[in-house]
Amino acid sequence: MNTEKDFSPLTPNIVRALNDKLYEKRKVAALEIEKLVREFVAQNNSTQIRHVIQILASEFALSQHPHSRKGGLIGLAACSIALGKDSGLYLKELIEPVLTCFNDSDSRLRYYACEALYNIVKVARGAVLPHFNVLFDGLSKLAADPDPNVKSGSELLDRLLKDIVTESNKFDLVAFVPLLRERIYSNNQYARQFIISWILVLESVPDINLLDYLPEILDGLFQILGDSSKEIRRMCEVVLGEFLKEIKKTPSSVKFAEMANILVIHSNDLIQLTAMTWMREFIQLAGRVVLPYSSGILTAVLPCLSYDDRKKITKEAASACNHSLMKLVTPEDDEDEEESQSTTSPPSKDTSTKKEGDINGKISNLADRSQVTLDLDGIVQVLDRHLHDSLTGMMTRIAVLKWLYHLYIKTPRKMFRHTDSLFPMLLKTLSDESDEVILKDLEVLAEIASSPAGQTESLGSCDGSDKTELHVPDGSAGSKVADSSPSTPSMNSYFYKFMINLLQRFSLERKLLETRGAFIIRQLCLLLHAENIFHSMADILLKEEDLKFASTMVQTLNTILLTSAELFQLRNQLKDLRTPESCTLFCCLYRSWCHNPVATVSLCFLTQNYRHAYDLIQKFGDLEVTVDFLIEVDKLVQLIESPIFTYLRLQLLDVENNPYLIKALYGLLMLLPQSQAFQLLSHRLRCVPNPELMRTVEIPKPVSAKRATRPQVDYKELLQHFEHVQSKHLEVRHQRVGHTEHPDRKL
């Protein structure tokens, strides 16, 4: 090698020593280079300085020969030491060849490169900050180096660089964030650890506001939070904890909207608790700003509500999120955008002055939250999806129904646009195995049926041409049925549809009727007007084509009417028939109750129509007496002995004015076989005083004032209706017997 010609001003001895395989000889050459460069510095000869650096970089550090590369690295470090405070003028030329050696396949050479850069940075200190990104990029690669010596060297350099950044006030965060955003998605554990350590350092520097750029790195932080390494997760938790503290201190400067969607996509078990905690704080701090992201938040939150005690903390955080989010929905969200704009006026000076002092300006300085639009369509879509999903947990289903109820209360006009699509699933939910779910479901359905918003033009489907499966049983009689339904201010067009579909569901799911029918109807009587429930069901059953179901349904309704505490007021209303309204209700119930003869008699007992009850029992001789029929008579006898009919039993003392009551009871007795019920009723009748007064000779007698005030009821017409209905039942029963091998047993 012609050293004098090719490497001047480096002497041949320096060149030979730099290429030597022995470290000691290369070190001697470095000392000579340091001496040479110092002379150039003293002479202010920058041209020669750059020439020396260029030779060391191109001919040695970037050489194909490994020993030459090692010589070049130590030579560049020597140049930097010689330059001292002036090294900042040549940093680009010094750093770039060293960083290139970070990628060398030889671990020893990577270590020497790390050592050389350490010396360069140590001398330059703050002057290296303009080159921070390339240094960070190189260090991030060495952080994951498989060689422990290289890793150890890189850690020393890393600590030095962190000290420089911490001490300086000239760090260019804007230029660094794009690189940080890119590197934060590394899957290497060491690289992740390196990234987290740097975020911690930057977050601790008072002059560096990393919170402004949190939306750009938050997703990556949550990715790291799911790392398999416990140590890395712990470090990431610390970083996120520091950010959350800062968010709570300065909510006015936080970009909540940009980060809300980031939180909802992280559902991994390892990071879910942190995501829920952040989400809870966001909702409480940002308020209505997060409403546009509510569907995404609910998608993340709702499944967590069904967690067991193993994830109790996550469940509690999710519950708090859910509760806080629900409170953000207000009646103002029911207004259309045009309405809200027309009703919004600029705040007065007094109002704006007052707001400036609210909570130290934290909330008032946030974005104008009054203009935030509720994502109602998205929310309903999420809620509907969870209701349809068979794997949805019980507590989640309850939360979904609470949300629907809340939305119908706060935003009824907008919610009724979704009612036709929600209605079938709400009806299906009545078959849920949980009583609590059914209760919440009934609350939603009751609100739909009673909300004044249900009478708006959005209910164009009420004419029978709707696209939903809400139909009256007989299309030709639809308008007639609707006309005869109760019309109270508390009910809307969906009420009658609800009753129709509920009865259809009971008809299709007899097990639901048997196990939950009474429970559902009783709860509806609490949530809605009991008279409306019974009146509308009676209207619908009057035209029911499945007579067996009609009889079973009437029996169920009759039992509820006679035994449930929820029906106390309705029983009192029917007991005396003192008003035209009560007589109308009695006639309406009677016509449907005719599907079940024993229920019809019990209704007459309840309304003190004893003579008509006696006339009905006389007709029982023409009926087909089955075992089921006698079981119902047996149950009626038991009911007569219950507290509901205390007044009836006391009227047995007034034989003279109640002969038909006694005759009706004797009629029931004659229907019964020699059974326990027979003995019970027989014993009761033996307690009636003065049997001779049971004569029924038609002698005009004064009637009590109470009976005199009763409106007139055409009992003859009612009796004819009873006979007509029973003849239809007999005809259907005979047809059924003709097609089955096991007809009803007769006595």
Side-chain angles (χ1 to χ4, degrees):
M1 179 181 294
N2 190 343
T3 55
E4 291 184 4
K5 182 178 180 180
D6 295 333
F7 301 105
S8 178
L10 298 183
T11 66
N13 289 336
I14 293 176
V15 172
R16 192 164 35 253
L18 285 177
N19 284 297
D20 201 281
K21 64 179 181 179
L22 295 176
Y23 172 75
E24 292 300 327
K25 289 188 177 182
R26 294 196 302 271
K27 186 175 181 181
V28 171
L31 292 173
E32 290 297 321
I33 291 172
E34 182 181 342
K35 181 179 177 182
L36 181 64
V37 173
R38 285 185 190 277
E39 291 175 358
F40 291 146
V41 171
Q43 298 167 6
N44 198 22
N45 191 344
S46 60
T47 302
Q48 284 291 68
I49 294 173
R50 291 188 186 280
H51 189 49
V52 169
I53 295 174
Q54 182 183 4
I55 291 172
L56 291 172
S58 60
E59 301 296 334
F60 289 90
L62 301 179
S63 170
Q64 297 296 319
H65 195 278
H67 298 312
S68 297
R69 292 200 295 274
K70 294 173 186 177
L73 290 171
I74 197 170
L76 289 170
C79 287
S80 178
I81 294 171
L83 288 167
K85 63 180 182 179
D86 293 332
S87 63
L89 300 172
Y90 309 93
L91 278 177
K92 187 176 186 296
E93 295 90 336
L94 290 168
I95 290 174
E96 286 185 353
V98 177
L99 289 175
T100 302
C101 293
F102 277 12
N103 299 316
D104 201 284
S105 59
D106 185 351
S107 61
R108 289 296 298 168
L109 207 144
R110 294 198 302 275
Y111 174 78
Y112 287 131
C114 196
E115 183 181 51
L117 190 57
Y118 177 87
N119 288 320
I120 294 170
V121 172
K122 185 177 180 181
V123 172
R125 302 296 293 183
V128 302
L129 289 179
H131 309 277
F132 178 81
N133 276 16
V134 293
L135 295 174
F136 182 88
D137 186 45
L139 273 176
S140 66
K141 297 172 183 175
L142 290 187
D145 199 284
D147 187 273
N149 292 324
V150 177
K151 272 178 64 44
S152 177
S154 70
E155 288 170 1
L156 285 172
L157 176 57
D158 182 51
R159 284 198 291 271
L160 174 61
L161 201 56
K162 285 173 180 172
D163 289 340
I164 294 171
V165 170
T166 305
E167 295 167 0
S168 174
N169 59 358
K170 297 180 180 179
F171 182 74
D172 190 354
L173 184 61
V174 176
F176 173 62
V177 167
L179 178 61
L180 178 61
R181 184 177 60 236
E182 176 189 343
R183 287 288 183 266
I184 203 169
Y185 287 104
S186 172
N187 291 323
N188 184 279
Q189 289 187 348
Y190 297 108
R192 284 181 164 184
Q193 199 166 13
F194 172 78
I195 293 290
I196 291 294
S197 68
W198 266 101
I199 293 175
L200 266 174
V201 168
L202 295 176
E203 178 64 12
S204 67
V205 178
D207 294 333
I208 297 177
N209 187 13
L210 196 56
L211 187 61
D212 286 346
Y213 302 92
L214 183 56
E216 300 190 49
I217 63 173
L218 186 61
D219 180 62
L221 285 173
F222 273 98
Q223 296 277 6
I224 295 175
L225 190 61
D227 195 275
S228 58
S229 168
K230 185 177 180 180
E231 177 63 22
I232 293 176
R233 293 201 305 271
R234 187 196 63 78
M235 289 178 63
C236 193
E237 287 172 359
V238 172
V239 169
L240 288 169
E242 291 300 318
F243 275 124
L244 196 56
K245 287 179 185 177
E246 195 170 344
I247 287 171
K248 292 179 181 179
K249 290 179 183 177
T250 58
S252 60
S253 61
V254 178
K255 301 173 182 176
F256 291 105
E258 295 181 28
M259 292 187 283
N261 269 343
I262 296 173
L263 297 178
V264 303
I265 62 175
H266 292 285
S267 57
N268 183 288
D269 289 347
L270 292 172
I271 61 180
Q272 201 169 52
L273 174 58
T274 304
M276 287 297 153
T277 303
W278 274 62
M279 204 177 295
R280 179 184 61 197
E281 297 295 340
F282 273 28
I283 295 170
Q284 293 174 352
L285 293 171
R288 291 178 60 83
V289 167
V290 302
L291 272 184
Y293 310 95
S294 48
S295 59
I297 294 173
L298 284 176
T299 300
V301 165
L302 288 173
C304 302
L305 300 178
S306 293
Y307 284 170
D308 55 26
D309 288 342
R310 289 174 296 179
K311 298 181 181 178
K312 184 179 180 181
I313 301 176
T314 304
K315 180 179 179 180
E316 290 173 350
S319 180
C321 287
N322 185 57
H323 182 66
S324 298
L325 187 63
M326 189 178 290
K327 288 198 298 184
L328 297 180
V329 182
T330 64
E332 287 73 22
D333 291 309
D334 206 25
E335 298 177 359
D336 292 327
E337 290 184 11
E338 295 80 4
E339 293 181 21
S340 62
Q341 289 175 3
S342 62
T343 57
T344 302
S345 59
S348 64
K349 291 183 179 179
D350 293 338
T351 305
S352 59
T353 303
K354 181 180 179 182
K355 284 186 177 180
E356 287 177 4
D358 290 345
I359 319 175
N360 298 323
K362 287 183 179 180
I363 302 303
S364 60
N365 291 332
L366 290 171
D368 186 0
R369 300 170 184 207
S370 62
Q371 302 302 318
V372 173
T373 303
L374 175 68
D375 179 23
L376 186 63
D377 292 349
I379 291 176
V380 172
Q381 186 177 5
V382 171
L383 298 176
D384 187 49
R385 186 169 66 247
H386 278 87
L387 272 187
H388 276 84
D389 189 353
S390 59
L391 300 178
T392 300
M394 182 189 73
M395 296 307 297
T396 299
R397 295 199 302 277
I398 292 172
V400 167
L401 293 167
K402 284 182 177 179
W403 258 102
L404 288 173
Y405 180 76
H406 183 72
L407 292 173
Y408 271 109
I409 293 293
K410 299 295 183 182
T411 60
R413 290 195 308 164
K414 289 184 178 179
M415 276 302 294
F416 266 93
R417 300 169 188 170
H418 300 277
T419 299
D420 285 346
S421 61
L422 289 171
F423 211 91
M425 194 61 216
L426 289 171
L427 285 166
K428 186 178 180 181
T429 305
L430 291 175
S431 302
D432 197 277
E433 59 186 16
S434 165
D435 284 352
E436 194 172 351
V437 171
I438 294 175
L439 280 173
K440 294 301 175 186
D441 190 38
L442 288 171
E443 287 182 10
V444 178
L445 288 165
E447 182 59 30
I448 291 174
S450 60
S451 174
Q455 295 288 20
T456 63
E457 64 275 8
S458 62
L459 293 183
S461 59
C462 295
D463 59 3
S465 62
D466 56 339
K467 295 180 181 180
T468 64
E469 298 179 359
L470 303 176
H471 307 291
V472 292
D474 185 349
S476 61
S479 59
K480 182 178 178 181
V481 174
D483 291 339
S484 62
S485 64
S487 56
T488 65
S490 61
M491 299 298 125
N492 62 33
S493 304
Y494 272 101
F495 170 77
Y496 207 64
K497 289 188 173 190
F498 177 27
M499 293 299 104
I500 292 171
N501 280 267
L502 180 60
L503 289 175
Q504 285 179 344
R505 194 151 198 89
F506 285 152
S507 177
L508 296 172
E509 294 186 41
R510 298 300 172 87
K511 186 177 180 181
L512 175 64
L513 176 60
E514 294 171 7
T515 58
R516 299 289 180 82
F519 170 72
I520 290 171
I521 294 170
R522 283 168 41 221
Q523 293 303 319
L524 283 175
C525 289
L526 289 175
L527 295 167
L528 300 169
H529 201 288
E531 178 181 350
N532 289 76
I533 300 293
F534 273 75
H535 198 158
S536 60
M537 286 191 170
D539 281 342
I540 298 165
L541 289 171
L542 188 61
K543 295 168 177 60
E544 176 60 54
E545 296 178 357
D546 185 346
L547 299 184
K548 184 173 177 62
F549 166 70
S551 177
T552 303
M553 195 67 224
V554 164
Q555 183 183 5
T556 301
L557 290 170
N558 187 64
T559 302
I560 295 170
L561 177 63
L562 294 179
T563 61
S564 299
E566 295 85 354
L567 276 296
F568 174 79
Q569 186 175 352
L570 187 59
R571 283 196 296 271
N572 277 353
Q573 183 179 341
L574 288 168
K575 185 175 177 181
D576 295 322
L577 300 183
R578 285 181 289 182
T579 64
E581 291 78 16
S582 60
C583 288
T584 300
L585 177 61
F586 164 71
C587 292
C588 175
L589 297 182
Y590 181 96
R591 294 178 185 280
S592 287
W593 261 231
C594 287
H595 283 299
N596 190 296
V598 179
T600 312
V601 171
S602 66
L603 180 63
C604 292
F605 282 158
L606 175 66
T607 56
Q608 303 183 63
N609 283 301
Y610 301 134
R611 177 162 186 168
H612 193 68
Y614 171 70
D615 292 339
L616 286 173
I617 293 172
Q618 288 289 92
K619 299 291 182 181
F620 283 9
D622 299 328
L623 302 180
E624 190 174 20
V625 179
T626 64
V627 172
D628 290 338
F629 177 87
L630 292 176
I631 290 174
E632 291 182 40
V633 176
D634 189 297
K635 290 179 180 178
L636 176 56
V637 171
Q638 303 293 335
L639 278 173
I640 291 171
E641 294 298 320
S642 71
I644 297 295
F645 282 116
T646 299
Y647 67 90
L648 180 148
R649 298 196 301 273
L650 288 174
Q651 287 173 355
L652 291 174
L653 297 173
D654 188 3
V655 178
E656 183 177 358
N657 286 323
N658 296 291
Y660 285 103
L661 169 59
I662 299 170
K663 293 192 72 172
L665 293 178
Y666 267 107
L668 291 179
L669 187 67
M670 294 303 108
L671 287 171
L672 288 167
Q674 298 286 321
S675 61
Q676 185 177 359
F678 177 90
Q679 299 297 331
L680 188 64
L681 184 55
S682 176
H683 182 71
R684 173 64 66 185
L685 290 171
R686 285 200 298 271
C687 297
V688 175
N690 300 321
E692 292 183 1
L693 296 178
M694 292 171 56
R695 290 177 288 110
T696 58
V697 177
E698 299 293 337
I699 300 174
K701 300 173 185 176
V703 295
S704 64
K706 181 173 73 172
R707 293 299 178 90
T709 60
R710 276 195 172 198
Q712 293 298 313
V713 174
D714 188 351
Y715 291 103
K716 182 177 180 181
E717 191 273 334
L718 292 179
L719 196 60
Q720 290 174 349
H721 178 76
F722 174 82
E723 292 175 338
H724 173 68
V725 172
Q726 287 307 308
S727 66
K728 288 175 64 177
H729 275 269
L730 186 61
E731 179 182 349
V732 170
R733 189 178 297 114
H734 284 167
Q735 291 175 354
R736 190 168 63 248
V737 169
H739 291 84
T740 179
E741 299 178 358
H742 302 287
D744 291 343
R745 289 179 290 132
K746 297 181 182 179
L747 289 183

